[in-house]
Amino acid sequence: MQNPHNAFKQALAQGRSQLGFWGSLADPYSTEALASVGADWILIDGEHAPNDLRSILGQLQAIAPYATQPVVRPVNADPALIKQLLDIGALTIMVPMIETAEQARAVVAATRYPPQGIRGVGAALGRASRWTSIPDYSLKASGEICVIVQAESTTALDNVHDIAAVDGVDGVFFGPVDLSASMGLMDQPTHPDVISAITNATRIVRNAGKAAGVLCTDPEKAKGYLNAGVQFVAVGVDVLLLVHSAKRLLDGFDRPSTVASTLLGYG
């Protein structure tokens, strides 16, 4: 059996644009449904969505038959958690709130076996090695692991050159919501100053030979980011797609306001 190939990492290395979705419903069934529509990647969110190790495992298994590539976001940069995610078969991780090159190097080290890093050697017990069915998994694993770090503050942007230069970092993902808050523009992720900051930082990341990514659910602004050199863009969030489409459907009917508020959970 061959080591699973990371098509997402290859696409980033080749400079190809990748469109994805944010998965926050924390359920294999909904994640598989999303995978069926043909996106390049799906983010399985362990930071803000109610996911745990087993629910993430279930979603990795659900996505496996599809061409869509899973990207897993842990709640933080804890090396023990990163180890567990890699052992259950995550090939691409996106680690939030990275502000310095030192933190980025620590993330990379958590994904590498000694002597290059500190990942515990125990994949024989897990899905990553297909329970020892992949020969020499421990010698080949790092070649298919993709490390994305999130820059979500003004401090991170100040250090983005050094972060992008870290060996083993494949890409830098800009979090516009947290960044807008850090810039004193709370809940304004599409403010011109935020877009300008991300666009400028994207140039730095691309000049370092790394990929830049962002979450942007406004199609026109997402296209603007792609034109500016951002390679991988999450263009929709599953829970918001569900809620907004459901609300639009209900809004198309003439109903008493009390009924509408009750159905929407406000009554």
Side-chain angles (χ1 to χ4, degrees), residues 87-117:
D87 284 352
I88 63 172
L91 290 177
T92 301
I93 62 167
M94 181 188 293
V95 181
M97 295 296 182
I98 299 302
E99 295 192 317
T100 67
E102 181 180 11
Q103 291 174 337
R105 280 190 289 270
V107 170
V108 173
T111 70
R112 269 49 173 178
Y113 288 121
Q116 289 78 23

Side-chain angles (χ1 to χ4, degrees), residues 79-147:
L81 178 55
I82 291 174
K83 171 179 61 180
Q84 288 183 304
L85 293 174
L86 297 177
D87 284 352
I88 63 172
L91 290 177
T92 301
I93 62 167
M94 181 188 293
V95 181
M97 295 296 182
I98 299 302
E99 295 192 317
T100 67
E102 181 180 11
Q103 291 174 337
R105 280 190 289 270
V107 170
V108 173
T111 70
R112 269 49 173 178
Y113 288 121
Q116 289 78 23
I118 61 169
R119 179 182 174 186
V121 184
L125 304 178
R127 180 171 176 265
S129 72
R130 298 305 186 264
W131 305 276
T132 71
S133 294
I134 299 175
D136 300 323
Y137 166 82
S138 60
L139 302 178
K140 304 172 183 176
S142 63
E144 299 296 336
I145 291 173
C146 181
V147 176

Side-chain angles (χ1 to χ4, degrees), residues 142-232:
S142 63
E144 299 296 336
I145 291 173
C146 181
V147 176
I148 309 296
V149 295
Q150 284 193 254
E152 305 180 84
S153 68
T154 55
T155 300
L157 292 194
D158 289 342
N159 294 322
V160 72
H161 177 275
D162 294 338
I163 291 171
V166 171
D167 188 31
V169 167
D170 296 284
V172 178
F173 189 92
F174 298 104
V177 176
D178 279 297
L179 180 59
S180 67
S182 180
M183 294 174 65
L185 299 166
M186 177 67 77
D187 293 333
Q188 299 181 66
T190 59
H191 190 283
D193 290 349
V194 177
I195 293 175
S196 177
I198 292 174
T199 301
N200 291 335
T202 292
R203 284 195 288 269
I204 296 172
V205 172
R206 295 303 301 270
N207 286 339
K210 307 297 176 68
V214 73
L215 168 63
C216 183
T217 59
D218 181 312
E220 293 307 312
K221 289 183 172 58
K223 291 174 186 177
Y225 276 127
L226 289 166
N227 291 334
V230 177
Q231 260 184 269
F232 58 111

Side-chain angles (χ1 to χ4, degrees), residues 21 25 27-39 42 62-63 66 68:
F21 289 113
L25 287 170
D27 185 86
Y29 198 78
S30 61
T31 301
E32 182 177 2
L34 202 57
S36 73
V37 305
I42 293 175
I63 294 175
Y66 300 87
T68 299

